[in-house]
Amino acid sequence: MPLATTASIVAAAPGGVCAFNVITLEHAEAVVAAAERVGLPVILQVSENAVRFRLGRLRPLAAAAGALAADAAVPVALHLDHVTDDALLRQAAETGFSSVMYDASQDPYEENVARTKAAAEWAHENGLWLEAELGEVGGKDGAHAPGVRTDPGEAAAFVSATGVDALAVAVGSSHAMTTRVARLDHGLIGALRAALPVPLVLHGSSGVPDDELRQAVAAGMKKINIGTALNVAFTEAVKTSFAEKPSGADPRPRLASARDAMIEAAAHLLRTVAVPPA
């Protein structure tokens, strides 16, 4: 079916929506296959870090993801994630992305507002939906060092001042967690939901247990970002493949097992967050 938009998928979802970060073609194939298996829409995300890994080129991975999305039996959208580089932001519209997460959260509040407002104005002029972040989500060096949680009043002022379409908030999750032990502040999620006119986004969802994810969606979280969970599934499957068959130069069997493992992980998470609030 035609490439969907992030805005349409988020608006139509009765519960939460999974947005998976993809690095390789196998990641993207696995996410689309999982979404088709469970019959749910999905968002494919490409981060600035992934672009850096792909030798600084956005277009090749975007083209592959877009082709998969166009062939999918369920709605699939493309999202450019954690963009700090304005030059990369400006590649989004011409490479099939319908949305961008612009990340100036490492800056002082006033500078974050100014940069994000300019990014949102450009995005809207070019038909893009813009997500931003307020309150630093832990788990990465520098811009994402652990920081204070998002204040509802400040978040409402930020959204009003910048005109963003969605807000990633710090409520207890952390990027790059390989174990699912995070505990979220569900009261804060509810307060943020009540204070803001835009969808809430949970970053660092790989480390959040199923019951916490369901509670987060019930409290008001809408877009659920997932990356590390796929990478864990990929890596463990490749390690098992080597343990079972150390020899052999053909990478396809190992990549196939990794893709299968990511399909299972993605399908489980898609089902988990799609449950609408009671």
Side-chain angles (χ1 to χ4, degrees), residues 196-211:
L196 301 180
V198 299
L200 300 179
V201 184
L202 183 65
H203 286 208
S205 305
S206 293
V208 182
D210 288 351
D211 62 332

Side-chain angles (χ1 to χ4, degrees), residues 57-270:
R57 297 187 176 104
L58 173 61
R59 191 177 301 277
L61 185 56
L68 285 166
D71 287 347
V74 294
V76 181
L78 302 188
H79 175 82
L80 192 56
D81 196 35
H82 277 293
V83 172
T84 63
D85 181 356
D86 286 353
L88 180 59
L89 168 68
R90 282 160 174 74
Q91 293 181 52
E94 63 190 42
T95 46
F97 293 88
S98 65
S99 60
V100 179
M101 187 272 176
Y102 188 78
D103 190 357
S105 63
Q106 76 277 12
D107 294 332
Y109 178 79
E110 294 300 334
E111 189 173 346
N112 186 357
V113 168
R115 289 183 59 198
T116 303
K117 182 176 186 291
E121 289 173 349
W122 180 89
H124 295 159
E125 289 168 1
N126 288 272
L128 300 177
W129 189 86
L130 194 95
E131 172 188 333
E133 180 177 318
L134 186 67
E136 296 176 14
V137 179
K140 293 185 178 181
D141 295 333
H144 303 287
V148 298
R149 294 189 179 182
T150 306
D151 175 76
E154 187 175 65
F158 181 86
V159 169
S160 177
T162 59
V164 298
D165 302 295
L167 190 67
V169 292
V171 293
S173 58
S174 184
H175 291 100
M177 288 185 68
T178 56
T179 56
R180 303 184 73 192
V181 296
R183 289 291 179 264
L184 304 180
D185 188 334
H186 299 287
L188 177 56
I189 295 171
L192 287 162
R193 175 65 278 157
L196 301 180
V198 299
L200 300 179
V201 184
L202 183 65
H203 286 208
S205 305
S206 293
V208 182
D210 288 351
D211 62 332
E212 289 280 314
L213 287 176
R214 293 189 188 100
Q215 289 181 62
V217 171
M221 242 355 130
K222 179 58 70 171
K223 179 171 174 279
I224 310 298
N225 285 18
I226 301 156
T228 301
L230 295 187
N231 298 337
V232 169
F234 185 112
T235 301
E236 290 303 313
V238 171
K239 286 164 61 177
T240 298
S241 174
F242 273 105
E244 293 174 349
K245 187 178 180 182
S247 61
D250 187 350
R252 287 173 294 182
R254 307 192 197 284
L255 289 172
S257 66
R259 184 173 55 206
D260 288 344
M262 289 191 290
I263 291 172
E264 295 299 325
H268 174 78
L269 288 161
L270 280 157

Side-chain angles (χ1 to χ4, degrees), residues 2-20:
L3 191 62
T5 66
T6 298
S8 66
I9 288 177
V10 170
V17 173
C18 282
F20 291 97

